[in-house]
Amino acid sequence: MTTFHAVVWMDHQEAHVLMFDREHVESQRVKSRTHHKHQGKQNDTATMYADIAKALEGTHEVLVTGPGIARDEFRDWCKQHHAHVNVVDSVSSDHPTDAQVVAMARQYFKKLDNMGADPALVK
């Protein structure tokens, strides 16, 4: 599914990649290959981030959310390794349902679009 917007809820163990338009949502889960909670090796993390970036192919703007620092690490990793993944923001959140994540992202992008912001300039 090629869409303009996507949202990724993530921690170090898994990511929920949700691509959406006005009427449709397509979801994909990406799991870490390590079984040691909070002890992921650099290579394991890079592999997970690469899998997430691959799942985001075809999207133009990505909002990243989650409870910890994995979202910021992913944003920084994308800047270095996958510049085509345009992460417009990183927002802290607990463990919402996928439907709640999409609703939050729709509100976020609606506000961003209404402001006429250039997503490339949003940090």
Side-chain angles (χ1 to χ4, degrees), residues 60-74:
H60 294 96
E61 297 175 345
V62 180
L63 175 65
V64 182
T65 187
I69 62 170
R71 65 186 193 281
D72 294 326
E73 291 173 354
F74 175 69

Side-chain angles (χ1 to χ4, degrees), residues 82-96:
H82 280 278
H84 71 278
V85 177
N86 181 21
V87 177
V88 296
D89 205 352
S90 171
V91 178
S92 178
S93 70
D94 252 344
H95 296 274

Side-chain angles (χ1 to χ4, degrees), residues 4-114:
F4 195 77
H5 295 127
V7 60
V8 177
W9 179 96
M10 67 183 301
D11 60 18
H12 282 104
Q13 297 303 306
E14 70 176 327
H16 299 226
V17 179
L18 303 150
M19 295 171 284
F20 60 93
D21 58 24
R22 289 181 189 218
E23 297 147 9
H24 304 95
V25 176
E26 182 178 297
S27 67
Q28 181 177 348
R29 290 197 181 190
V30 176
K31 294 200 177 243
S32 171
R33 295 179 187 173
T34 183
H35 299 289
H36 303 288
K37 196 171 192 174
H38 301 292
Q39 295 178 2
K41 296 178 183 151
Q42 189 73 17
N43 194 31
D44 294 335
T45 302
T47 300
M48 181 176 162
Y49 293 168
D51 291 344
I52 296 167
K54 183 176 180 179
L56 291 167
E57 287 180 3
T59 60
H60 294 96
E61 297 175 345
V62 180
L63 175 65
V64 182
T65 187
I69 62 170
R71 65 186 193 281
D72 294 326
E73 291 173 354
F74 175 69
R75 179 189 56 204
D76 296 342
W77 184 89
C78 285
K79 286 179 185 176
Q80 289 183 329
H81 302 284
H82 280 278
H84 71 278
V85 177
N86 181 21
V87 177
V88 296
D89 205 352
S90 171
V91 178
S92 178
S93 70
D94 252 344
H95 296 274
T97 65
D98 286 354
Q100 290 170 323
V101 172
V102 171
M104 185 242 338
R106 282 188 169 131
Q107 283 298 109
Y108 179 90
F109 285 117
K110 182 178 180 182
K111 187 183 292 186
L112 185 71
D113 293 344
N114 285 342

